[in-house]
Amino acid sequence: MKFDPDTALNRHNNFQTFFGALLLLFRCATGESWPNIMLACLKGRPCDPRANKPNETCGSTLAYAYFVSFIFFCSFLMLNLFVAVIMDNFDYLTRDSSILGAHHLDEFVRIWAEYDPNATGKIHYTEMYDMLKNMDPPLGFGNKCPNRLAYKKLIRMNMPLDAEGKVAFTTTLFALIRENLNIKMRTAEEMDQADMELRQTISHIWPLQAKKMLDLLVPLNEELNAGRLTVGKIYAGLLILESWRNTKFGQVESDLPVSVRYFKCSGVHQRFNSDYTHDRSSFP
């Protein structure tokens, strides 16, 4: 095509050389006057004398499709893609670790697998406590979390235990998320009502999944009330024991000989196991 100083296709902007074509397309990709370049390449433009086409015209109506598609893929698609990658990396670098996110789920699954190598979906409640102590906040407790604070969190979570004293994966994970995000967490007197409202909300949002997992996400009140052993009841007892040890009576008890303390603790432990085995209804 013949150069014309009065149009967008001149000796500085043309497709006659490979390097010149790259520069021209780069200019188009930036959005600098690309419609004028497109219109200058339409059919009917005079041919360059070196083209040996004295009685013909150059250009093509395909310039519309070519330039529009080029601008779409380069400016709108590729540029936005690069911007999205940069923004994603920026969000990752500036992410607040105290905010619960999807990446904490991967950490929970990875650490749970260390305590449940057979993938049974359940671990003992003592292993669950060690796991949460070894897991960084916000999902876990962290190594620096005091035992009293960890006990209080477990009392609020209050997951049910099976006959072997184990807690379920889904129940533990949802209880941690619920505690961290404060999802319908109320006082002890209102927790039964909060659990009922949460069960209704989950059933409304996920009607199909709720049929299979609702009892694992939010256990029934029958699993948490009298006659059932839960994590909250165990660690409530440990919290009471630790508080009692800080009193003067507990300190007097700690001054007794080791043999006497062992005898008393063994007797209480044996009586607890015997009473719980024969009459579970006697425990709140």
Side-chain angles (χ1 to χ4, degrees), residues 20-282:
L22 288 180
L23 290 178
L24 182 57
L25 291 177
F26 177 76
R27 173 185 171 179
C28 294
T30 62
E32 178 63 26
S33 188
W34 69 269
N36 295 334
I37 300 175
M38 177 186 66
L39 296 176
C41 296
L42 293 178
K43 186 177 181 180
R45 185 180 180 87
C47 295
D48 189 272
R50 293 175 294 178
N52 297 323
K53 298 180 179 180
N55 298 325
E56 299 181 13
T57 58
C58 295
S60 175
T61 54
L62 292 177
Y64 288 113
Y66 175 78
F67 279 92
V68 170
S69 60
F70 178 80
I71 292 298
F72 175 79
F73 284 105
C74 289
S75 297
F76 300 146
L77 188 62
M78 297 301 298
L79 183 60
N80 291 336
L81 179 62
F82 283 117
V83 171
V85 171
I86 294 174
M87 293 300 296
D88 183 70
N89 291 332
F90 179 78
D91 177 70
Y92 176 78
L93 294 175
T94 59
R95 179 181 297 160
D96 188 358
S97 59
S98 62
I99 300 177
L100 190 64
H103 58 284
H104 292 101
L105 175 61
D106 297 334
E107 180 185 4
F108 182 83
V109 173
R110 177 179 57 81
I111 298 179
W112 180 283
E114 297 177 0
Y115 293 86
D116 185 18
N118 296 327
T120 60
K122 293 183 178 182
I123 59 176
H124 199 263
Y125 70 90
T126 56
E127 295 179 338
M128 182 267 302
Y129 179 78
D130 295 337
M131 178 191 69
L132 295 180
K133 290 283 286 186
N134 294 329
M135 188 181 301
D136 295 332
L139 198 58
F141 298 159
N143 292 325
K144 297 182 180 180
C145 180
N147 291 334
R148 295 175 62 88
L149 180 59
Y151 292 167
K152 292 180 180 180
K153 290 184 177 181
L154 290 172
I155 293 172
R156 288 173 59 86
M157 291 164 57
N158 198 30
M159 295 87 69
L161 302 178
D162 61 5
E164 299 178 354
K166 294 184 177 181
V167 294
F169 171 87
T170 306
T171 306
T172 305
L173 177 60
F174 188 79
L176 289 171
I177 297 174
R178 184 181 181 184
E179 170 69 19
N180 185 269
L181 299 180
N182 197 24
I183 302 175
K184 291 188 181 297
M185 297 297 293
R186 302 175 184 172
T187 60
E189 295 79 8
E190 300 177 352
M191 280 304 297
D192 290 344
Q193 180 65 25
D195 290 343
M196 186 180 302
E197 294 176 0
L198 184 58
R199 290 177 64 91
Q200 295 176 355
T201 303
I202 295 175
S203 300
H204 179 72
I205 298 176
W206 301 297
L208 298 179
Q209 293 84 347
K211 296 179 181 179
K212 301 178 181 179
M213 304 183 63
L214 185 59
D215 292 340
L216 290 175
L217 297 177
V218 185
L220 296 170
N221 294 334
E222 291 78 6
E223 298 291 332
L224 304 175
N225 292 333
R228 298 287 184 175
L229 192 61
T230 64
V231 171
K233 295 176 183 178
I234 292 176
Y235 287 98
L238 293 176
L239 183 61
I240 294 173
L241 177 60
E242 186 171 332
S243 300
W244 177 79
R245 285 177 177 174
N246 294 329
T247 63
K248 62 179 182 179
F249 300 103
Q251 294 175 359
V252 171
E253 182 74 16
S254 62
D255 293 336
L256 294 175
V258 178
S259 59
V260 177
R261 282 185 290 160
Y262 177 77
F263 175 77
K264 289 186 176 183
C265 291
S266 300
V268 172
H269 180 70
Q270 183 178 4
R271 185 177 60 184
F272 173 81
N273 289 339
S274 177
D275 293 344
Y276 180 74
T277 302
H278 293 88
D279 186 12
R280 295 188 177 184
S281 62
S282 61

